[in-house]
Amino acid sequence: MVRYLKSVDVPEHRIVLISPPPLCEAAWERECLAQGCKLNRLNLVVGEYAGACLQVARDCGTDVLDLWTLMQKDGQDFSSFLSDGLHLSPEGNEFLFSHLWPLIEKKVSSLPLLLPYWRDVAEAKPELSLLGDGDH
């Protein structure tokens, strides 16, 4: 994926890899059994995928967000971050956002504003502000 992005001129400093979140085996096993199959994933193996994601980021010079480690930090219960033991719940999405946003903000904070700040747009005639035909 990183090689492809580089091939279409996306520089490394604009890429953020995100590791998979941990797996809550008990909850995922319940989902599997409900579908008539046995547990088909282990958190230990997901950790290996997360480790590979970290290694790819190091090798490629990209930033990485290690959800697998962050969600299990200090032995915290991460089950509320997962809707079914595998996929992010609304709380898990909020967790992801809270850690991803600072990385994105750091990357875009130095970009120039191409359009005026929304409060600086003339409400009655926005084209004056947006098309440069005025100083509103």
Side-chain angles (χ1 to χ4, degrees), residues 70-135:
L70 284 172
M71 286 185 168
Q72 298 179 94
K73 190 175 182 180
D74 300 325
Q76 72 179 339
D77 177 16
F78 58 87
S79 62
S80 65
F81 296 141
L82 305 167
S83 61
D84 57 5
L86 177 65
H87 301 98
L88 293 178
S89 65
E91 187 176 335
N93 282 306
E94 287 177 26
F95 182 91
L96 170 59
F97 176 81
S98 73
H99 288 82
L100 182 58
W101 182 246
L103 289 173
I104 293 172
E105 196 168 39
K106 181 178 74 173
K107 292 178 178 302
V108 301
S109 63
S110 63
L111 294 176
L113 289 175
L114 300 178
L115 296 171
Y117 184 64
W118 69 272
R119 286 191 179 148
D120 296 334
V121 175
E123 192 173 328
K125 292 194 120 199
E127 65 275 8
L128 294 178
S129 303
L130 299 173
L131 299 176
D133 294 330
D135 59 354

Side-chain angles (χ1 to χ4, degrees), residues 9 24 27 35 39 43 58 64 68 73 89 92 116 119 127:
D9 298 324
C24 180
Q35 299 298 320
L39 180 65
N43 193 39
R58 277 191 295 274
V64 64
W68 191 83
K73 190 175 182 180
S89 65
R119 286 191 179 148
E127 65 275 8

Side-chain angles (χ1 to χ4, degrees), residues 54-75:
L54 299 176
Q55 185 62 51
V56 168
R58 277 191 295 274
D59 293 347
C60 296
T62 67
D63 284 338
V64 64
L65 179 59
D66 184 4
L67 273 186
W68 191 83
T69 299
L70 284 172
M71 286 185 168
Q72 298 179 94
K73 190 175 182 180
D74 300 325

